[in-house]
Amino acid sequence: GAVAVSVDDELARVIPVIEGLRRATEVPISIDTSKPAVMRAAVAAGATLINDVRALRDEGALEAAAELGVGVCLMHMQGTPQTMQAAPHYDDIVDEVHAFFEERLAFATRMGIREDRLWLDPGFGFGKTPAHNLELLRRLRAFKRLGLPVLIGTSNKHTIGQVLGLPVSDRLEGTAATVALGIANGTDAVRVHDVKAMARVAKMADAIVHGWP
């Protein structure tokens, strides 16, 4: 049900933030947008990754991402932000998301985006029921067959609230479970709100899964 944001509004919201962050730190900065004009302005301001919930399907987005030469995260979404939660359906969610990624990767590489710049996000909560989301987490490793890093964004989302019966302000432990199990099942990065707590969860999960020190 999200209302679309104009290019001018999006630029006004994000560009000053990116410029301020770039002055303050050298860490990578991701811009979450589907608009080619915002991609170009954000990269000029210091962003180093484009995160697109539409997987570069908007007109001109593929061309802009290829031209800019930065990292790109392709996310799966069934429908649009306005319609995505209206009775989403899949025969096999993992197979269908996997097939979507294969199609988008073919387009991206054909347009000149290097494969080593690409990330995949199965789109937890974007056109999926809680059951779909939980199945994605259980079978996350299937996407590793594509040979690219996988990112998940589960933090504080509706599925956690449904399972635990908790409001968005009280989903820290549920988020921690998804982060830990996401890492156990092969994810390479997590997008979270409670950075300090989830960094600790991720560090502990990494030590268990990948070894320590």
Side-chain angles (χ1 to χ4, degrees):
V3 178
V5 176
S6 72
V7 171
D8 288 344
D9 282 348
E10 199 168 317
L11 289 169
R13 292 178 187 183
V14 301
I15 300 305
V17 177
I18 295 171
E19 290 172 341
L21 288 170
R22 181 49 69 223
R23 286 193 297 268
T25 179
E26 293 300 313
V27 301
I29 298 172
S30 170
I31 175 63
D32 184 344
T33 189
S34 299
K35 299 179 178 68
V38 179
M39 294 175 187
R40 290 189 173 92
V43 171
T48 52
L49 175 73
I50 296 165
N51 185 84
D52 186 1
V53 300
R54 299 181 189 271
L56 304 179
R57 285 180 287 172
D58 279 8
E59 185 177 353
L62 263 171
E63 292 83 354
E67 168 196 320
L68 292 166
V70 296
V72 178
C73 184
L74 303 172
M75 198 195 81
H76 175 273
M77 173 176 59
Q78 187 180 87
T80 70
Q82 291 76 35
T83 66
M84 65 186 185
Q85 290 309 113
H89 172 79
Y90 302 86
D91 292 326
D92 184 305
I93 187 167
V94 173
D95 286 350
E96 291 177 47
V97 173
H98 194 282
F100 171 84
F101 283 148
E102 287 181 318
E103 177 198 29
R104 298 314 298 161
L105 287 171
F107 275 109
T109 54
R110 196 178 307 141
M111 288 297 298
I113 301 176
R114 287 188 355 220
E115 199 167 276
D116 63 0
R117 294 188 183 276
L118 291 167
W119 286 67
L120 305 175
D121 179 350
F124 191 97
F126 281 75
K128 284 104 177 166
T129 66
H132 292 144
N133 292 321
L134 297 175
E135 186 170 0
L136 281 175
L137 278 179
R138 277 195 302 273
R139 298 170 60 193
L140 198 62
R141 199 166 290 279
F143 303 116
K144 301 296 287 183
R145 294 197 300 265
L146 292 165
L148 296 176
V150 174
L151 179 149
I152 60 170
T154 59
S155 183
N156 295 343
K157 284 193 173 173
H158 177 71
T159 291
I160 297 169
Q162 288 288 99
V163 172
L164 299 180
L166 293 172
V168 69
S169 59
D170 195 18
R171 297 176 185 172
L172 184 70
E173 297 90 348
T175 297
T178 65
V179 167
L181 289 172
I183 291 169
N185 289 337
T187 196
D188 300 281
V190 292
R191 183 170 56 246
V192 297
H193 299 90
D194 301 284
V195 175
K196 183 177 180 180
M198 292 307 113
R200 291 172 176 172
V201 171
K203 186 175 182 179
M204 193 70 218
D206 271 333
I208 295 167
V209 174
H210 301 295
W212 182 86

